[in-house]
Amino acid sequence: MTRTPQNRPPRAAPPHGPRPGPYQGQRPDQRGPGGRPPAGRPPAREPDRYLYGVHAAVAAILNPERVITRVQCTEAGLANLSEALAEAAQAGLDRPQPEIVDRALMDRFLKGAVHQGIALEIKPLEAPDIDDIGRQASLREPEGEPGAAARSIVVVLDQVTDPHNIGAILRSAAAFGALAVVVTDRHAPEITGVMAKTASGAVEHVPLVRVKNLARALESLGQWGFRRIGLAEEGEATLAEAMQGDKVALVLGAEGEGLRHLTRETCDVLARLPTQGPIGSLNVSNAAAIALYEAARN
C-alpha cells in the first residue's frame, strides 16, 4: 500500500556518540600521504602544528634545523616563497613540493589567522636546556678581549602567557642577540602559529627554553655567572645602573602581577625603567625590548 505521513513508520533515532569524521572509513591512501586529506584540501590537523605568514615561513624554510613535512600556499603565497625554496634547494635542504590550496579553504582551516597565503606543517625544534645556554655563554670571550662577542643575554619570563607578547619578545631577543628566552612549562603557551607570526621568524633563531621551576632555573643561571636583573617598578636601581657584567638575565613578570615573590628573591637586583608621565608602566614586550637594548648597548 501507499504510505502516507500518517502511516509511515517512524525514523530510527540517530545513534548516540560523536558524529563520524569526514575521513572515517577511508583507507589511509584515500586520505593523502600520512593520513592527510589529498593535496589541495585543508589539512585535517590542528593549526598549532603550522607556521604561517611570509616571514615565519621563509625563516623556517631556510633553517637547516627545521623539519618541514608539508608546504601549502596560494598562488600569491608561492610567489613569496619561491626565492627561499630555491635558496633551500641550493643549500641541500629537504623541503616538500608546495601544494596549491584555495585561499577560502586555508581561511577556514586557520580560522581567521593572517596567513598571507602560506602554511607550513612542521615538527618542533629541539630546544636547549639551561645548562646548554650557560655553556654557550661561557664559551664566549669576555668583553674587552680580542674577538670578544657582545654581552651574553637571556630573557626570563615569569608567567607571561600571551603568545603575542612572547612572540614580540622573541623578535626583540633576536634583534638584540639574546641567547634564549626562558619560560615556565606550566603557564607559557607552546610555539603556535600566532606566536611564530608575531615573532616574524625569530622562533628559528632564538630558542624558547621551557623549565618546570623558574626559581631553580634562575639559580642555575646564577651558577653560570649570569647577573639576574628583575624588572619591577619599585626597583632600587635604574636598569642602566643595574646592568653589570658580561652575562645578564633579564627577568620580567606578567602584566599586572609582576614578578612573583620567589622570583624576586632569586634575582640579584631589582631594577626599574625610568618612566614618567601619566602612564608609569609598559606592556611586557615593550619593557623587554627596552631592557634588551640597554643590555646590548653596554
Side-chain angles (χ1 to χ4, degrees):
M1 73 177 174
T2 303
R3 290 176 175 169
T4 65
Q6 288 77 18
N7 60 20
R8 182 180 295 127
R11 293 181 180 177
H16 294 288
R19 297 175 63 183
Y23 304 105
Q24 184 168 317
Q26 294 184 5
R27 301 190 310 274
D29 60 303
Q30 293 175 310
R31 304 175 196 167
R36 297 189 296 268
R41 296 186 187 178
R45 293 206 176 190
E46 291 299 320
D48 287 353
R49 297 192 183 187
Y50 272 69
L51 299 181
Y52 49 78
V54 174
H55 295 297
V58 167
I61 286 169
L62 297 178
N63 181 4
E65 301 300 319
R66 174 69 78 178
V67 176
I68 301 173
T69 57
R70 200 174 194 191
V71 177
Q72 291 184 297
C73 52
T74 62
E75 292 283 0
L78 180 58
N80 288 323
L81 282 187
S82 57
E83 186 176 340
L85 288 168
E87 187 175 340
Q90 189 173 8
L93 302 179
D94 182 21
R95 297 296 180 240
Q97 184 70 22
E99 303 169 22
I100 301 302
V101 179
D102 182 78
R103 188 178 187 91
L105 293 175
M106 191 175 285
D107 286 342
R108 286 203 296 273
F109 172 66
L110 294 174
K111 299 178 181 178
V114 185
H115 52 72
Q116 298 176 294
I118 300 169
L120 307 184
E121 184 181 340
I122 49 88
K123 292 186 178 179
L125 293 170
E126 185 175 347
D129 59 23
I130 289 294
D131 288 333
D132 292 329
I133 299 300
R135 281 188 286 269
Q136 184 180 350
S138 295
L139 291 174
R140 291 185 167 193
E141 293 290 339
E143 287 190 296
E145 295 293 326
R151 168 184 278 147
S152 296
I153 309 168
V154 173
V155 179
V156 181
L157 303 179
D158 186 7
Q159 293 191 317
V160 176
T161 59
D162 186 345
H164 293 91
N165 277 333
I166 297 176
I169 291 168
L170 282 165
R171 184 173 183 175
S172 295
F176 291 108
L179 298 180
V181 174
V182 180
V183 296
T184 51
D185 188 50
R186 183 176 178 182
H187 297 285
E190 297 289 338
I191 295 179
T192 62
V194 170
M195 187 187 297
K197 178 73 165 56
T198 308
S200 195
V203 295
E204 308 300 323
H205 304 288
V206 179
L208 191 68
V209 179
R210 309 181 73 88
V211 297
K212 291 184 178 180
N213 188 303
L214 196 68
R216 289 178 186 170
L218 286 169
E219 289 174 357
S220 295
L221 287 172
Q223 292 169 0
W224 282 104
F226 279 85
R227 179 170 171 81
R228 298 153 298 183
I229 304 174
L231 269 69
E233 291 181 25
E234 67 277 14
E236 60 266 29
T238 65
L239 183 61
E241 292 168 345
M243 202 67 67
Q244 301 171 18
D246 296 325
K247 303 174 187 176
V248 167
L250 302 170
V251 189
L252 297 97
E255 292 180 51
E257 298 179 9
L259 299 175
R260 290 175 295 171
H261 178 70
L262 186 56
T263 304
R264 290 167 179 265
E265 287 189 338
T266 317
C267 290
D268 297 300
V269 61
L270 294 181
R272 66 184 185 276
L273 295 175
T275 55
Q276 54 186 316
I279 300 177
S281 61
L282 296 173
N283 171 281
V284 64
S285 62
N286 292 333
I290 292 171
L292 281 160
Y293 167 76
E294 185 66 33
R297 85 181 178 88
N298 280 283

